[in-house]
């Protein structure tokens, strides 16, 4: 195979500076697998991986030259070469890939439902961060749903677990869940789950730019602009923060005061907003750690009980999202560079789900 590899990298100190690196495909050592990355999704969540790359280990997924980093993305890839006895050519897997044409992994655990990369640079990461799911052993897989899986599966899982975590505590008596960056896919998934539960209301907080989209979704009981938070009725509420914008957080805390039962931090879409350090009324913000809820529910429901519930909820969310999600395909360097810069700057359309491939032409269609 004369195909060369191509990989997209960002400067760690300034992600606006990006580059493409070309290199020959490596020869496999015994027990390795070469993936051809068919296509992958890029959303604001991937920008958060750069933001927390050192703290949470994202830069360790796919190491590269000093000063640069390869941001992980969720995608589908096919095994095109294998020197591992249990992993066969043609196996199609969902998982974390670099924005690249290829990836070499060194499988440790291999079963019908997972192939785990045991490469030393990934040691110590959360198990889900090194897992590749063969389509043939994946209860949530459907060929017609590949784009949604890449774009929203991980985000939906987080929101499913966050809603479950709050519902398990009766939403701490809240009559409303306030959700920032209401136009983000993770927030939309959370609003969907809150509404499915029917125990409390979902209130979306968003920017003027995305207001019409959020209203049009019909997933939120109420939608307000960031500048109009003080117009909300003061009632027992919990705040789930996807924006990480201290001006928005401050407005919520000052307005709801001790009626705010809980502040749950999940995202930081407004990553470039000024960080204000001020004492706020109400509860201290707590980071939502999804793996802890997975451990709890695996204990309560068993592993298959949890995956079964999640797969069922995911199917419902996928179907409900057909009405708003517009998959936008892009191919090649220029398309990726453009989508990356737009995502970084928050200039993508909220309905758009960008799915990219570094192969020119119509790969994956
Ligand atoms: N902790 C976890 O386990 C976990 C898991 C999944 C997702 N998350 C987080 O959830 C957040 C949402 O991710 P997503 O992939 O769902 O996002 P997305 O769909 O790409 O969301 C795009 C929205 O985010 C806001 N935004 C994005 N970039 C911005 C910028 N530069 N400046 C201002 N606003 C910007 C805008 O919403 P508004 O105008 O409505 O503010 C925009 O419509 C991310 O921060 C992600 O890390 C966390």
């Amino acid at each position: 195979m004369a195909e060369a590899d191509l990989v997209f990298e960002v400067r760690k100190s300034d992600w606006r500076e990006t580059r493409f690196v070309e290199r020959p495909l490596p020869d496999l050592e015994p027990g390795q697998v070469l993936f051809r990355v068919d296509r992958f999704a890029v959303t604001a969540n991937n920008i958060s991986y750069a933001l927390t790359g050192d703290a949470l280990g994202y830069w360790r997924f796919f190491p590269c030259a000093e000063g640069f980093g390869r941001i992980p993305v969720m995608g589908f890839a096919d095994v095109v070469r294998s020197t591992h006895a249990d992993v066969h050519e043609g196996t199609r897997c969902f998982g974390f890939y670099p924005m690249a044409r290829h990836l070499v992994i060194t499988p440790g655990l291999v079963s019908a439902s997972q192939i785990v990369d045991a490469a030393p640079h990934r040691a110590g990461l959360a198990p889900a961060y090194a897992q590749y799911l063969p389509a043939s052993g994946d209860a949530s897989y459907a060929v017609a749903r590949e784009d949604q899986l890449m774009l929203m599966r991980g985000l939906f899982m987080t929101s499913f677990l966050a809603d479950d975590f709050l519902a398990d505590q009766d939403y701490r008596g809240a009559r409303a869940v306030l959700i920032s960056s209401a136009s983000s896919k993770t927030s939309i998934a959370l609003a969907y789950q809150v509404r499915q539960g029917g125990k409390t209301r979902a209130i979306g907080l968003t920017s003027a730019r995305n207001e019409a989209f959020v209203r049009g979704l019909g997933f939120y009981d109420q939608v307000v602009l960031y500048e109009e938070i003080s117009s909300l009725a003061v009632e027992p509420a919990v705040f789930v923060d996807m924006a990480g914008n201290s001006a928005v957080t401050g407005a919520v805390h000052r307005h709801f005061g001790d009626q705010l039962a809980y502040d749950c931090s999940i995202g930081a879409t407004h990553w470039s907003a000024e960080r204000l350090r001020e004492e706020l009324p109400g509860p201290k913000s707590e980071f939502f750690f999804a793996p802890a809820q997975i451990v709890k529910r695996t204990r309560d429901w068993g592993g298959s009980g949890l995956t079964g519930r999640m797969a069922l909820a995911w199917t419902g969310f996928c179907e409900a999202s057909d009405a708003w999600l517009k998959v936008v395909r892009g191919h090649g360097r220029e398309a990726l560079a453009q989508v990356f810069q737009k995502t970084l700057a928050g200039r993508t359309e909220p309905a758009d789900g960008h799915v990219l491939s570094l192969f020119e032409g119509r790969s994956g269609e």
Side-chain angles (χ1 to χ4, degrees):
M1 195 188 300
E3 218 167 35
D5 196 12
L6 181 67
V7 52
F8 179 75
E9 297 180 348
V10 302
R11 187 177 283 286
K12 283 185 184 172
S13 57
D14 181 357
W15 317 318
R16 282 166 304 189
E17 188 184 329
T18 66
R19 67 180 188 185
F20 286 94
V21 177
E22 260 182 281
R23 54 180 188 177
L25 281 185
D27 290 325
L28 296 187
E29 288 167 21
Q32 288 193 315
V33 160
L34 175 69
F35 278 120
R36 181 184 194 272
V37 182
D38 183 22
R39 55 195 208 276
F40 52 84
V42 175
T43 74
N45 188 37
N46 304 104
I47 306 301
S48 304
Y49 293 162
L51 192 65
T52 54
D54 286 320
L56 299 182
Y58 293 108
W59 294 132
R60 285 174 46 210
F61 285 26
F62 314 114
C64 65
E66 189 64 29
F68 281 82
R70 297 178 180 172
I71 297 177
V73 285
M74 309 253 42
F76 276 97
D78 301 295
V79 175
V80 288
R81 253 192 274 154
S82 174
T83 52
H84 191 291
D86 302 324
V87 181
H88 306 294
E89 288 178 15
T91 306
R92 188 164 179 79
C93 289
F94 174 82
F96 279 111
Y97 298 96
M99 293 185 246
R101 287 183 180 166
H102 297 91
L103 172 70
V104 174
I105 65 163
T106 310
L109 177 74
V110 175
S111 72
S113 60
Q114 60 173 330
I115 298 169
V116 178
D117 186 8
H121 58 262
R122 278 168 112 159
L125 293 172
Y129 286 171
Q131 239 173 12
Y132 293 87
L133 310 182
S136 53
D138 180 354
S140 291
Y141 180 81
V143 68
R145 290 287 179 202
E146 282 196 348
D147 290 322
Q148 285 93 334
L149 285 164
M150 286 183 273
L151 282 161
M152 301 197 301
R153 180 191 216 164
L155 311 179
F156 179 80
M157 265 178 61
T158 301
S159 289
F160 173 95
L161 293 162
D163 175 65
D164 178 57
F165 168 76
L166 293 170
D168 201 26
Q169 318 166 50
D170 288 327
Y171 297 92
R172 303 207 179 185
R175 291 206 211 113
V177 180
L178 312 165
I179 307 170
S180 60
S181 269
S183 64
S184 70
K185 294 165 188 68
T186 314
S187 295
I188 294 170
L190 179 61
Y192 174 83
Q193 282 302 107
V194 169
R195 288 280 288 270
Q196 286 296 109
K199 294 278 176 3
T200 184
R201 292 154 61 243
I203 299 182
L205 314 178
T206 190
S207 56
R209 181 182 188 274
N210 295 318
E211 180 189 10
F213 166 75
V214 178
R215 286 193 191 285
L217 285 168
F219 282 31
Y220 292 91
D221 294 284
Q222 193 179 346
V223 177
V224 296
L225 296 183
Y226 294 128
E227 300 76 33
E228 293 170 0
I229 287 169
S230 60
S231 70
L232 284 167
V234 177
E235 58 184 343
V238 296
F239 177 40
V240 181
D241 188 14
M242 246 34 111
N245 180 335
S246 46
V248 171
T249 306
V252 167
H253 278 251
R254 278 189 291 274
H255 185 59
F256 285 87
D258 56 14
Q259 293 290 299
L260 193 66
Y262 190 56
D263 174 339
C264 176
S265 161
I266 295 190
T269 54
H270 298 196
W271 61 273
S272 58
E274 201 189 338
R275 298 259 174 271
L276 307 169
R277 301 221 168 269
E278 54 178 331
E279 271 302 309
L280 294 172
K284 291 262 170 284
S285 165
E286 283 179 28
F287 183 71
F288 176 66
F289 190 56
Q293 190 64 8
I294 293 181
V295 169
K296 178 178 188 303
R297 286 314 199 186
T298 304
R299 220 169 33 226
D300 295 346
W301 299 335
S304 56
L306 174 60
T307 48
R309 278 172 169 87
M310 229 149 28
L312 192 66
W314 162 253
T315 303
F317 178 65
C318 261
E319 283 167 6
S321 295
D322 286 339
W324 65 267
L325 180 68
K326 189 176 141 225
V327 175
V328 181
R329 292 278 182 90
H331 301 269
R333 300 175 190 226
E334 204 173 312
L336 173 56
Q338 274 182 16
V339 166
F340 181 77
Q341 294 298 340
K342 273 170 77 172
T343 307
L344 195 56
R347 284 188 286 105
T348 53
E349 291 303 319
D352 289 353
H354 289 283
V355 172
L356 292 130
S357 160
L358 271 180
F359 292 96
E360 307 285 344
R362 317 308 296 169
S363 159
E365 289 182 39

